[in-house]
Amino acid sequence: MKKISKKKTQREVTLDGMMTIGKSANNLRQADFQCCEDVKIESFIGRFKVQGMHNGDVYMQELPKRFRNKPLFRLDNSSLSLGRNGLYYFNFRMPESELRALPELLMKEAREAAGKVIKMYLNGNKR
């Protein structure tokens, strides 16, 4: 039995097995790999870019973790955050059923957000 420990610096393991590739009932692709060797590796779940080639080769590369912007402050239906790219983002959310109240609430929360930003900069706090 091959055992892969966390202390080793080995980054790749080559395994023999069978892969079944197909489509599900809702027309989404599926791939299942069954290893034919007796190995112990750490289990994982991840988001991957998968590329299936015409000759049957399958390449998988894990996607980087998504970093979310932390809001500077939140209001009832909106939030203001500073992105890693140096841009401010004002997000407003409201159910479609409350369309009539949208203009008034949007203006109210935008004014509140602008007031809080002014107070932040007058007090010298940038974050």
Side-chain angles (χ1 to χ4, degrees), residues 80-117:
L80 181 74
S81 60
L82 176 61
R84 296 190 192 308
N85 57 1
L87 298 175
Y88 286 96
Y89 292 90
F90 180 75
N91 293 311
F92 185 82
R93 296 160 305 281
M94 186 171 206
E96 187 179 5
S97 60
E98 299 179 27
L99 178 63
R100 290 190 184 269
L102 176 77
E104 294 164 13
L105 276 172
L106 180 59
M107 288 174 47
K108 176 184 171 241
E109 293 205 6
R111 277 192 207 107
E112 284 183 46
K116 288 188 176 198
V117 169

